[in-house]
């Protein structure tokens, strides 16, 4: 077969450019800075981290993990925060309230923790209908009950009409890690398997269509769901077959999709992640909508899916167990971790070729969550 | 998915690839003119399937890539005019002008909105009668009919606050310019698919007749591209130079009469239009004709209209002509990346450089990881 890229200094050059320290050159914030792709990484690593750096933040995980107390009484906690600005606020399969609970519950769950308590901060636009606020709160209540968490503190601000869009919600969450699990985007090792818990792109496509700009009609629903119980079952299964430490990394691929999440892991762990296109489950309607819109489902947001990097000896058992859980019915192994070339996500296409799956450079869909 | 998966079957691809390899081991350079083909080639890894003697050259058919810096600056000057709502397709947002992009102009306060169709821009104009709504029209004959239809609608509904900043271009003059270029060495063309649905295959007759090069008009699914390469190589091996139509399911010899009528109704050729990298090409651009001049943004707003030279380091021109490979450009992948593009070939996913940067570097991966080696 053709080898068009004979090894040349050029590729070293590109790899160096990819790995160099993020630097923020822009003069203004653009929507690309919120997209979950490269521009956001530049903002976070080139600016936020420069000013707020500390050993815990520096890890750039989706949550901070730390010990409280000492000796036998010590507890390992996970702490996270997230803001929700999705538009429209109501969409098939959920709304901003449900998302605000699930998103934060999932960020806690990805550390292996059991979510305990949430805070909720509301920024409301003058003129926002109380009836809509009630609907949002109702679904927050139901989502919290389902996830077994309580909203224990909160805050409300109202701003003049036009200075916010209807309602923005921030939630923070705290959870308890009860096993010796050590999850990190830096833990992927050559030989590990990559597990995906189900179909990709459902949430982002739903939002896109719910905006009504495209006049498409489908029955796609957001996949918004709490994943903590799925994670607990995975930890149980790993402990049963081997040890919980056989699960190396868990991430929920929200903004930027599975492609961005895998890139983060490949770069942080300095490994190559290789996936197979024909193993990645995509719903027919999502596939169709993405074809029409020119989107790649790999880059479209999910709100009820996880990616797990696990030791090969537990992979099959984990997938089997996940498939018994209602949020993991279509779980499967989509690829594996290789040593080289480091920091790269490569995909064998369904067509038989290969390509690199890079991080998203520009803005795809603003305000998706 | 029906009507899609049929064109993406790996086993058929493998058989086709074998047949291509069996045709000849002569080194051949084939150009896919259209950016959509470039995108498909990289997205599906088609080059992995081709024998090593067949080299694909990625041509100038990405409209975002060939728009010159000066025109991008003009678009920003219109967008920054107080009271203007500037509408554009998504991939034009990030095209760098000499100072910033539309995305940057938006962040700095201009009202720039992404639309999926020029008709959406017209809708925005009707909803905002007190604002000037401008549509940034870009593209070959593929998108020109939708701009034309929108203008017909705007005239019918008499929408006074709607104008079009027209940058539509034509494929045939560009092909001629390429073929006349002395440093070009090509054996055949994978002809544009979408453009040909509009203009048909007849306009390409000059390529075999005057230049003796074969053309196969191709579809965009990976099997379409592969089959077209097969047809092209077969022509070359058999010593033929003809127009063949692989995309016969949508492309007809005479094109789409209604779309062409709409184009002729509202546009006329410009005397010259500048192409990034290729320079000024006679009768290659379209502008609104006198009958529709009230919708011409260039007449309504003062645009600087400056010609701005491409950055020195950037070699987009050589790359568009297929004379240089993206990685032979000094700034490729270092100063010029998809996040901070210097040249326009790095902006759109259909641009040759972005395609190499995003999807390329692959054989290296293939060799080391998958065993798909050459």
């Amino acid at each position: 077969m053709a080898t068009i890229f004979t090894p040349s200094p050029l590729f070293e050059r590109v790899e160096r450019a990819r790995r160099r320290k993020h630097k923020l050159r822009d003069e203004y914030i653009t929507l690309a800075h919120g997209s979950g792709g490269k521009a956001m990484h530049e903002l976070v690593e080139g600016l936020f981290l420069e000013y707020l750096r500390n050993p815990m933040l520096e890890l750039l995980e989706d949550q901070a993990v730390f010990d409280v107390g000492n000796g036998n009484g010590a507890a390992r906690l996970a702490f996270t925060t997230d803001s929700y600005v999705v538009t429209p606020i109501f969409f098939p399969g959920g709304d901003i309230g449900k998302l605000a609970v699930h998103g934060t519950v999932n960020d806690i769950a990805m550390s292996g923790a059991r979510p305990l308590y949430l805070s909720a901060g509301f920024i409301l636009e003058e003129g926002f209908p109380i009836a809509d606020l009630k609907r949002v709160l109702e679904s927050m209540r139901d989502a919290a009950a389902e996830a077994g968490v309580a909203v224990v503190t909160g805050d409300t601000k109202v701003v003049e009409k036009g200075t916010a869009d209807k309602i923005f919600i921030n939630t923070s969450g705290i959870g308890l890690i009860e096993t010796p699990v050590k999850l990190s985007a830096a833990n992927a090792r050559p030989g590990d398997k990559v597990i995906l818990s189900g179909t990709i792109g459902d949430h982002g496509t739903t939002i896109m269509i719910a905006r009504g700009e495209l006049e498409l009609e489908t029955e796609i629903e957001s996949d918004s769901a709490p994943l903590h119980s799925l994670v607990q079952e995975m930890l149980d299964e790993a402990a049963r077959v081997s040890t919980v430490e056989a699960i190396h990394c868990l991430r929920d691929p929200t903004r930027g999709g599975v492609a961005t999440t895998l890139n983060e892991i490949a770069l942080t762990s300095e490994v190559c992640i290789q996936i197979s296109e024909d193993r990645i489950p995509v719903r027919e309607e999502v596939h169709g909508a993405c074809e029409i819109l020119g989107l790649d489902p790999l880059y479209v947001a999910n709100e009820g899916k996880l990616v797990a990097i696990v030791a090969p000896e537990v992979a099959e058992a984990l997938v089997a167990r996940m498939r018994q859980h209602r949020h993991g019915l279509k779980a499967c192994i989509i690829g594996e971790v290789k040593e080289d070339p480091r920091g790269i996500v490569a995909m064998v296409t369904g067509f038989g070729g290969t390509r690199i799956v890079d991080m998203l450079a520009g803005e795809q869909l603003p305000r998706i969550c | 998915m029906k009507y899609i998966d049929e064109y993406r079957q790996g086993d058929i691809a493998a058989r086709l690839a074998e047949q291509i390899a069996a045709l000849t081991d002569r080194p051949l350079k084939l150009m896919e003119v259209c950016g959509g083909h470039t995108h498909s080639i990289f997205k599906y890894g088609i080059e992995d399937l081709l024998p090593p003697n067949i080299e694909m050259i990625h041509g100038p058919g990405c409209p975002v890539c060939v728009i010159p810096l000066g025109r991008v600056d003009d678009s920003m000057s219109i967008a920054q005019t107080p009271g203007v709502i500037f509408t554009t397709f998504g991939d034009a947002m990030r095209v760098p002008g000499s100072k910033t992009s539309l995305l940057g102009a938006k962040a700095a306060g201009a009202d720039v909105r992404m639309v999926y169709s020029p008709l959406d821009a017209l809708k925005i104009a009707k909803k905002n009668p007190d604002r000037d709504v401008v549509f940034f029209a870009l593209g070959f004959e593929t998108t020109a009919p939708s701009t034309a239809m929108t203008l017909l609608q705007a005239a019918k509904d008499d929408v006074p606050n709607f104008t079009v900043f027209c940058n539509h271009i034509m494929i045939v003059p560009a092909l001629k310019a390429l073929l006349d270029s002395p440093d070009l060495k090509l054996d055949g063309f994978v002809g544009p698919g979408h453009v040909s649905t509009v203009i048909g295959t007849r306009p390409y007759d000059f390529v075999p007749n005057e230049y003796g090069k074969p053309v196969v008009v191709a579809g965009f699914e990976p099997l379409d591209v592969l089959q077209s390469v097969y047809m092209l190589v077969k022509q070359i091996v058999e010593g033929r130079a003809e127009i063949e139509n692989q995309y016969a399911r949508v492309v007809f010899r005479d094109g789409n009469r209604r779309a062409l009528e709409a184009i002729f109704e509202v546009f006329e050729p410009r005397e010259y239009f500048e192409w990034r990298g290729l320079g000024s090409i006679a009768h290659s651009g379209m502008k609104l004709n006198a009958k529709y001049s009230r919708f011409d943004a260039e007449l309504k707003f003062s645009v600087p209209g400056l010609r701005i030279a491409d950055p020195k380091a950037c070699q987009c021109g050589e790359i568009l002509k297929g004379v240089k490979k993206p990685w032979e450009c000094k700034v490729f992948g270092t100063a010029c990346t998809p996040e901070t593009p210097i040249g326009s070939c790095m902006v759109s996913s259909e641009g040759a450089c972005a395609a190499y940067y995003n999807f390329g570097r692959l054989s290296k991966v293939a060799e080391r990881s998958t065993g798909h080696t050459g």
Side-chain angles (χ1 to χ4, degrees):
Chain A
M1 290 286 140
T3 308
I4 47 167
F5 300 102
T6 44
S8 92
L10 166 92
F11 297 109
E12 303 305 322
R13 194 161 98 193
V14 172
E15 294 325 318
R16 262 205 313 278
R18 278 167 54 86
R19 277 200 292 263
R20 78 184 155 208
K21 211 172 132 192
H22 291 285
K23 213 171 160 187
L24 191 71
R25 289 196 191 83
D26 308 82
E27 270 179 68
Y28 298 96
I29 292 294
T30 70
L31 286 172
H33 289 119
S35 69
K38 291 181 188 178
M40 197 176 85
H41 280 259
E42 278 168 14
L43 180 69
V44 169
E45 291 171 44
L47 200 69
F48 289 127
L49 202 53
E50 286 311 306
Y51 285 88
L52 305 174
R53 184 182 294 277
N54 63 62
M56 247 185 266
L57 188 65
E58 212 164 54
L59 299 175
L60 296 176
E61 297 284 352
D62 288 344
Q63 67 297 109
V65 171
F66 47 86
D67 293 317
V68 175
N70 42 36
N72 283 339
R76 255 173 98 210
L77 297 181
F79 180 42
T80 189
T81 188
D82 215 331
S83 299
Y84 301 85
V85 298
V86 64
T87 180
I89 58 172
F90 301 105
F91 47 83
D95 58 52
I96 191 170
K98 187 173 167 185
L99 212 56
V101 172
H102 289 164
T104 296
V105 161
N106 290 347
D107 277 347
I108 298 170
M110 293 308 124
S111 69
R114 180 164 58 88
L116 296 174
Y117 302 111
L118 298 187
S119 73
F122 295 85
I123 296 170
L124 304 172
E125 186 191 15
E126 180 187 20
F128 182 61
I130 297 284
D132 285 354
L133 184 56
K134 278 185 183 164
R135 271 178 76 187
V136 170
L137 290 172
E138 242 168 19
S139 84
M140 282 184 86
R141 178 192 64 201
D142 296 346
E146 189 197 346
V149 294
V151 177
V152 292
T153 180
D155 177 57
T156 309
K157 298 284 188 296
V158 178
V159 297
E160 298 94 331
K161 200 166 183 57
T163 54
D165 189 7
K166 298 184 188 77
I167 176 171
F168 296 156
I169 303 177
N170 171 277
T171 52
S172 294
I174 199 157
L176 183 64
I177 301 178
E178 295 159 308
T179 62
V181 68
K182 284 191 197 75
L183 299 168
S184 162
N187 285 354
R189 292 169 213 160
D192 283 358
K193 300 288 180 193
V194 182
I195 297 176
L196 176 66
S197 69
T199 55
I200 61 168
D202 299 9
H203 178 74
T205 316
T206 304
I207 298 298
M208 192 79 177
I209 289 168
R211 286 185 191 163
E213 292 162 5
L214 300 162
E215 294 168 29
L216 289 178
E217 280 177 36
T218 69
E219 304 199 338
I220 311 174
E221 287 195 346
S222 166
D223 57 349
S224 181
L227 295 173
H228 61 291
S229 63
L230 179 65
V231 171
Q232 290 304 324
E233 298 224 357
M234 290 171 72
L235 293 173
D236 285 351
E237 186 66 18
R240 192 182 66 78
V241 182
S242 164
T243 96
V244 288
E245 284 162 86
I247 301 178
H248 296 158
C249 171
L250 291 177
R251 279 276 171 118
D252 57 336
T254 54
R255 265 175 314 175
V258 168
T260 301
T261 297
L262 291 178
N263 266 286
E264 286 168 358
I265 297 170
L267 280 170
T268 315
S269 295
E270 297 188 9
V271 292
C272 169
I273 295 181
Q274 198 194 304
I275 55 176
S276 296
E277 188 171 30
D278 51 15
R279 291 199 211 157
I280 300 170
V282 183
R283 285 175 51 165
E284 191 88 331
E285 305 92 310
V286 171
H287 185 34
C290 285
E291 281 294 330
I292 292 169
L293 303 175
L295 299 175
D296 186 339
L298 273 175
Y299 293 91
V300 179
N302 310 280
E303 288 293 342
K305 296 292 150 36
L306 65 81
V307 166
I309 309 287
V310 305
E313 64 271 17
V314 297
E316 297 288 345
L318 279 178
V319 167
R321 180 81 173 256
M322 288 169 80
R323 284 184 178 169
Q324 289 166 27
H325 191 283
R326 68 189 183 99
H327 296 315
L329 295 173
K330 293 205 168 148
C332 56
I333 297 173
I334 60 164
E336 60 184 334
V337 178
K338 307 263 183 179
E339 191 167 335
D340 210 35
R342 293 167 198 276
I344 297 268
V345 179
M347 181 162 84
V348 177
T349 69
F351 197 62
T354 42
R355 72 161 156 115
I356 284 188
V357 178
D358 206 350
M359 230 182 244
L360 207 59
E363 172 48 43
Q364 231 187 354
L365 314 162
R367 290 182 65 189
I368 214 78
C369 59
Chain B
M1 192 165 70
K2 212 165 159 34
Y3 307 124
I4 291 282
D5 293 342
E6 290 87 340
Y7 296 101
R8 297 183 184 172
Q9 295 177 46
D11 49 338
I12 300 180
R15 282 204 298 276
L16 250 176
E18 279 172 26
Q19 288 172 10
I20 294 171
L23 282 174
T24 182
D25 44 20
R26 233 170 86 190
L28 295 175
K29 283 188 178 188
L30 310 178
M31 173 181 278
E32 86 279 2
V33 179
C34 177
H37 287 138
T38 308
H39 187 76
S40 284
I41 286 171
F42 283 96
K43 184 169 176 196
Y44 299 100
I46 293 173
E47 286 188 313
D48 284 356
L49 296 166
L50 292 176
N53 56 313
I54 293 179
E55 185 185 348
M56 299 305 295
I57 307 284
H58 314 300
C62 158
V64 165
C65 301
V66 293
I67 186 164
L69 276 177
R71 297 293 287 185
V72 181
D73 283 2
D74 289 348
S75 79
M76 261 170 302
S77 148
I78 297 173
Q80 284 162 335
T81 309
V84 163
I85 299 175
F86 196 79
T87 58
T88 175
F89 294 138
D91 53 356
M93 299 277 279
R94 292 174 51 246
V95 184
S98 61
K99 290 189 190 73
T100 176
S101 64
L102 283 168
L103 200 66
K106 177 173 154 70
D111 191 346
V112 181
R113 302 185 193 177
M114 197 177 99
V115 289
Y116 295 95
S117 147
L119 282 167
D120 291 344
L122 186 61
K123 258 189 229 163
I124 295 174
K126 288 178 183 170
K127 262 193 217 158
N128 298 276
D130 53 332
R131 306 274 302 271
D132 276 312
V133 176
V134 183
F135 175 67
F136 189 18
L138 277 175
F140 287 92
E141 289 95 333
T142 326
T143 49
S146 65
T147 307
M149 294 303 288
T150 307
L151 285 165
L152 293 175
Q153 190 67 39
K156 193 173 151 223
D157 300 348
D158 198 16
V159 188
N161 61 324
F162 177 73
T163 51
V164 167
F165 179 47
C166 182
N167 292 277
H168 283 301
I169 44 180
M170 290 178 268
I171 193 77
V172 168
L175 264 178
K176 272 205 174 103
L178 263 177
L179 283 160
D180 286 332
S181 165
D183 47 1
L184 191 81
K185 288 185 187 66
L186 288 177
D187 298 292
F189 291 93
V190 173
H194 292 151
V195 168
S196 307
T197 60
V198 176
I199 67 170
T201 62
R202 210 179 284 280
Y204 308 120
D205 284 352
F206 74 97
V207 183
N209 295 348
E210 293 170 32
Y211 295 89
K213 307 282 184 201
V215 177
V216 176
V217 170
F220 292 89
E221 291 301 326
L223 278 180
D224 289 327
V225 177
L226 213 53
Q227 191 187 15
S228 303
V229 170
Y230 173 79
M231 291 165 73
L232 210 46
V233 176
K234 196 154 189 287
Q235 279 202 47
I236 296 167
V237 171
E238 292 172 0
R240 291 181 291 128
E242 297 164 12
I243 305 284
E244 288 184 314
N245 183 5
Q246 184 276 339
Y247 205 20
R249 60 187 188 274
V250 289
V251 171
F252 305 107
R253 179 92 177 119
D254 288 308
N256 181 329
R257 192 173 50 85
R258 291 195 58 199
L260 287 169
E261 278 169 8
I263 290 179
F264 292 135
E265 169 65 21
V266 306
F267 297 120
E268 63 183 28
R270 290 174 194 266
E271 207 168 325
Y272 283 99
F273 193 74
E274 199 195 331
W275 292 54
R276 190 158 192 184
L278 300 178
S280 199
I281 303 177
H283 306 300
S284 64
M286 300 180 211
K287 68 172 186 181
L288 278 65
N289 62 26
K291 198 171 156 195
Y292 289 85
S293 60
R294 67 183 189 282
F295 297 110
D296 191 341
E298 284 175 80
L299 300 177
K300 188 167 191 175
F301 301 92
S302 63
V303 292
L306 295 176
R307 282 187 66 176
I308 294 164
D310 289 337
K312 267 205 192 104
C314 171
Q315 294 183 304
C316 279
E318 281 77 11
I319 288 160
L320 287 174
K321 279 190 282 192
V323 177
K324 281 207 164 144
K325 290 283 183 186
W327 63 82
E328 287 164 359
C329 174
K330 282 201 182 68
V331 289
F332 174 84
T334 52
C336 184
T337 64
E339 309 88 85
T340 52
I342 290 178
S344 47
C345 297
M346 194 54 108
V347 176
S348 159
S349 63
E350 296 184 356
C353 294
Y356 269 97
Y357 188 93
N358 286 329
F359 299 140
R361 315 191 303 273
L362 248 298
S363 295
K364 189 170 134 179
V365 177
E367 268 168 50
R368 293 194 198 175
S369 315
T370 67
H372 272 257
T373 52

